[in-house]
Amino acid sequence: MYLTDEEKRILDGEQGEIARRCMEFLVAYGEAAGAEKLIDIDGTVDVHPGADWVPQYAVTVDEVRELAAKGEKFKVPTFSNKPVAPGFIIDGWEACGLPRNSDPEFHRKNLEALQPYMEMGMVPLFSCNDYLVSSFLPLVGQHCAWVESSAIPWVNAILGARSNFDGCFHTAYLGKAPAYDMHLDENRRATVLVRCETELKTDMDYDLFGWAVGEAVDIEVPALVGIGKPNYSQLVKMNSSLNTGGQVRMYHIPGITPEAPTVEAAFGGNKPREIVITREDLRRVYDKLNYAGKTEVDFVYLGCPHYNIQDVYRAATLLDGKKVKTKLWIMTNPSSYQVAVRMGLRDIIEKAGGILMSGTCPGALLETPEMQVMATDAAKQNYYLTGMFYPEKLDVWYGSMEDCINAAVTGKWSGEWR
Ligand code: F3S
């Protein structure tokens, strides 16, 4: 891989051992990915703070403390996704009932470990959809390094900025990323036309549609036509399931995606093959995501990806004046949590017996509530939790927010395909 003189000097240790290790990581990763060079990030970086994915290049919390003590900063605007390894609940942990997460000391220590990242400039948004509450977003064509399944298609397809799945300490500290895949024009063009032949109206429709398309196109770049006018909640859901049912990191909605004013522009000269998604495809995914044997439900999880403030408002309105019979967690981002407190929505949820939380999810906590049968309105959460419980059996019901809240109130699943 071509390196500039400055990059070579960093690799030789001129800027210290941690910068050297970060550069070594970017070079090894870039070469494995077939990148010819590194690009300078001129957009933003999104990190899962605390994670060290590749042990030989790991930067420990103590090393980050040392850097912060010397006054070192991230080279580019850096935002935090939910913390992982360990994941922990940012707000609402006191009532969660989980052994590790109910311990105030566990909570305090984890927050303390994130302090040096913040001193280096990381903005603590702590959410898988931090892009919904960030007040600083990249513009069209800017190069970024983001993480998270719903965020990657969001940055590429909705914002028109450019990112692979490589937001981490290393990209943020050096402000560089390997120049491959989504950073290059030719990989961003659509290769498959997806014609939606069923009307998409509800959040669940978009969640199921995203999954069906993901399964059908895997890692290709689809151009989506006939999908109506999704709102923000629906787009976020569609993104997360596109990149869970498949590996869609970029798509085009002609007229919405900045690079695709028209279908022709989306393909940029590529010859499209065409697939059609029908109501039957959505039904097939719905059936796949519903695999509970018993109708009794003991845990309901809402907020994957993290609910925005409108979603929290809708859920609280459905719960107002009711009492739940199951455990009910509603997850949002910490910013919307504060707004929900101000609006009295947390009180409504708590009066009903549910818990409003922020900053994580069961799939990231490595400990889950005691449960046998869960209900959720998110294809992505359904997929991850099942994997976490493997080879134990977890029964899962999947449906709309209304179906799930109904299950929480009655203790029974009565959702059905509509
Ligand atoms: Fe977010 Fe967890 Fe879902 S991190 S996207 S709530 S699996």
Side-chain angles (χ1 to χ4, degrees), residues 40-358:
D40 290 324
I41 293 170
D42 54 359
T44 62
V45 173
D46 185 27
V47 299
H48 280 130
D52 270 329
W53 300 109
V54 190
Q56 68 264 41
Y57 306 112
V59 178
T60 64
V61 173
D62 280 342
E63 287 175 317
V64 181
R65 274 197 194 102
E66 273 173 42
L67 293 177
K70 285 196 264 173
E72 294 227 23
K73 306 287 179 201
F74 291 118
K75 297 282 183 305
V76 287
T78 297
F79 296 84
S80 99
N81 208 285
K82 67 188 183 298
V84 295
F88 67 106
I89 302 163
I90 301 293
D91 296 293
W93 55 272
E94 297 88 341
C96 71
L98 304 178
R100 212 167 59 142
N101 268 272
S102 331
D103 177 1
E105 192 52 16
F106 176 77
H107 187 74
R108 189 193 62 73
K109 273 196 182 146
N110 279 313
L111 277 181
E112 190 181 274
L114 296 179
Q115 195 58 38
Y117 294 84
M118 295 188 244
E119 285 166 23
M120 290 185 69
M122 180 194 78
V123 181
L125 298 177
F126 297 145
S127 177
C128 50
N129 57 18
D130 54 5
Y131 51 89
L132 291 186
V133 288
S134 165
S135 51
F136 188 92
L137 286 170
L139 291 174
V140 176
Q142 290 183 337
H143 294 279
C144 301
W146 281 27
V147 282
E148 196 70 51
S149 45
S150 80
I152 298 299
W154 193 279
V155 65
N156 286 309
I158 303 300
L159 301 180
R162 301 179 167 216
S163 181
N164 295 317
F165 198 121
D166 54 11
C168 58
F169 183 89
H170 310 64
T171 41
Y173 184 48
L174 295 183
K176 290 174 185 288
Y180 76 105
D181 201 24
M182 286 298 105
H183 295 292
L184 310 179
D185 290 345
E186 60 269 28
N187 299 321
R188 299 175 60 82
R189 294 179 195 128
T191 53
V192 51
L193 182 69
V194 176
R195 198 173 291 287
C196 180
E197 291 197 343
T198 179
E199 193 183 4
L200 304 179
K201 285 193 290 200
T202 65
D203 295 5
M204 192 170 88
D205 285 345
Y206 283 94
D207 203 26
L208 294 171
F209 173 76
W211 190 285
V213 173
E215 272 189 342
V217 308
D218 192 28
I219 202 161
E220 285 198 71
V221 177
L224 310 175
V225 295
I227 69 162
K229 289 189 180 163
N231 64 31
Y232 252 50
S233 302
Q234 293 164 346
L235 260 186
V236 171
K237 270 200 174 294
M238 187 182 85
N239 279 11
S240 76
S241 55
L242 275 167
N243 210 5
T244 308
Q247 305 177 63
V248 176
R249 71 275 192 236
M250 169 73 186
Y251 61 84
H252 298 259
I253 305 175
I256 291 182
T257 301
E259 285 150 276
T262 62
V263 174
E264 292 67 37
F267 284 92
N270 280 344
K271 257 205 154 338
R273 73 182 171 92
E274 184 170 330
I275 61 169
V276 167
I277 299 290
T278 64
R279 199 85 202 146
E280 284 66 48
D281 293 309
L282 271 51
R283 173 70 200 253
R284 183 180 46 76
V285 178
Y286 177 85
D287 288 342
K288 183 188 270 196
L289 296 172
N290 272 295
Y291 44 89
K294 292 188 264 180
T295 52
E296 287 76 21
V297 172
D298 48 15
F299 178 54
V300 175
Y301 179 79
L302 299 172
C304 170
H306 291 170
Y307 268 2
N308 61 45
I309 190 62
Q310 273 301 320
D311 297 327
V312 177
Y313 171 71
R314 278 169 54 209
T317 305
L318 289 167
L319 282 165
D320 200 2
K322 305 203 171 95
K323 276 272 172 224
V324 298
K325 291 197 171 131
T326 68
K327 296 185 189 83
L328 168 66
W329 287 13
I330 300 178
M331 193 66 67
T332 184
N333 54 66
S335 315
S336 299
Y337 183 94
Q338 296 307 330
V339 180
V341 170
R342 204 168 302 134
M343 288 175 74
L345 305 178
R346 183 184 63 177
D347 286 348
I348 294 173
I349 292 165
E350 285 183 357
K351 260 190 211 140
I355 312 176
L356 182 66
M357 295 176 174
S358 84

Side-chain angles (χ1 to χ4, degrees), residues 353-375:
I355 312 176
L356 182 66
M357 295 176 174
S358 84
T360 187
C361 75
L365 282 176
L366 304 181
E367 60 174 355
T368 46
E370 285 280 308
M371 63 166 136
Q372 289 183 330
V373 185
M374 168 180 143

